[in-house]
Amino acid sequence: MKRSSPAAPRERVPRSFWFDPRFGLGLALVVASITGVVWLVSAADRTVEVWAARSALSPGDLVTGDDLALRSVRLGDTADLYVGAGMLGDSGLVVTRAVAAGELVPASAVGAPEGVQLASVVVTVRGDLPQSVESGSVVDLWSAPQTDERGFGPPAVLVGSATVVRVLEADGLIVGSAQVGVEMLVPRSRIAAVLEAIANSDAMSLVPVSLPVGG
């Protein structure tokens, strides 16, 4: 009897790759979760340098780096509430409320040293302002006292070389030709005189100390 030869082995057909979208979504969620946890841990572990008081500070004290010490602390989102390493400046800061020894210095407890000599006041100027007067301009504040005859006496310089903080606006537009409100920085020694002129409804005007280059 003739024996049949064995059948040739079948060639295996490679299986096509099948991707389940649910598997991909789950993998993406896992990666996102791990990334979020890593970010939270690193954020919580991040330190910033802020100033702390070496000794008790009282209102009016002028403090510099010699009076403070840098501390590396974890403050998270509250870091802006304290005086950071780059906020001290060359002139130091003036303490506006008490700070205990060793306490981190709150940003709300200090101010610029200029605040000791200068104060902000709003004056009402009659008529139009010179075109060159804007925020940061240096001007002389002139005042003419009101007389009994409903007129005004001769004007005189009330404050020399005052700095304009801003020109006040109304309804988004600068007040017209009748009156213009101007916030200014004036020496504290002249505050009483300026407030007296305001109370007496004196006529006040601003004269620029210098003209802009090219103007």
Side-chain angles (χ1 to χ4, degrees):
M1 183 176 180
K2 189 175 180 179
R3 301 178 61 183
S4 58
S5 58
R10 292 184 179 180
E11 185 176 348
R12 180 173 296 179
V13 178
R15 297 179 61 184
S16 59
F17 178 75
W18 177 78
F19 179 77
D20 188 346
R22 292 174 296 180
F23 173 76
L25 178 61
L27 182 61
L29 290 175
V30 170
V31 173
S33 176
I34 293 175
T35 303
V37 170
V38 171
W39 182 85
L40 288 175
V41 171
S42 62
D45 194 50
R46 189 179 302 145
T47 61
V48 294
E49 287 190 328
V50 296
W51 292 103
R54 293 183 184 272
S55 58
L57 305 177
S58 301
D61 289 347
L62 177 64
V63 295
T64 63
D66 295 335
D67 307 297
L68 307 173
L70 279 176
R71 298 282 187 265
S72 294
V73 293
R74 298 183 181 92
L75 294 175
D77 295 337
T78 63
D80 293 340
L81 300 179
Y82 298 90
V83 179
M87 296 173 59
L88 191 57
D90 297 334
S91 301
L93 296 170
V94 174
V95 180
T96 57
R97 62 180 176 86
V99 178
E103 179 184 355
L104 299 180
V105 181
S108 60
V110 293
E114 291 79 9
V116 177
Q117 292 84 27
L118 302 176
S120 177
V121 64
V122 175
V123 299
T124 300
V125 179
R126 295 172 181 263
D128 292 328
L129 286 177
Q131 188 175 2
S132 62
V133 174
E134 59 184 8
S135 187
S137 298
V138 179
V139 297
D140 290 335
L141 175 62
W142 288 71
S143 174
Q146 190 168 14
T147 62
D148 295 337
E149 293 79 15
R150 297 186 178 275
F152 296 91
V157 175
L158 184 61
V159 180
S161 299
T163 301
V164 174
V165 176
R166 57 174 176 152
V167 178
L168 301 183
E169 299 179 353
D171 298 329
L173 298 174
I174 295 178
V175 179
S177 59
Q179 291 182 334
V180 181
V182 180
E183 182 179 356
M184 312 172 59
L185 290 177
V186 302
R188 289 188 176 274
S189 60
R190 300 299 299 164
I191 287 294
V194 173
L195 295 179
E196 181 180 1
I198 294 174
N200 293 336
S201 299
D202 292 353
M204 287 186 278
S205 303
L206 299 183
V207 178
V209 172
S210 60
L211 293 176
V213 176

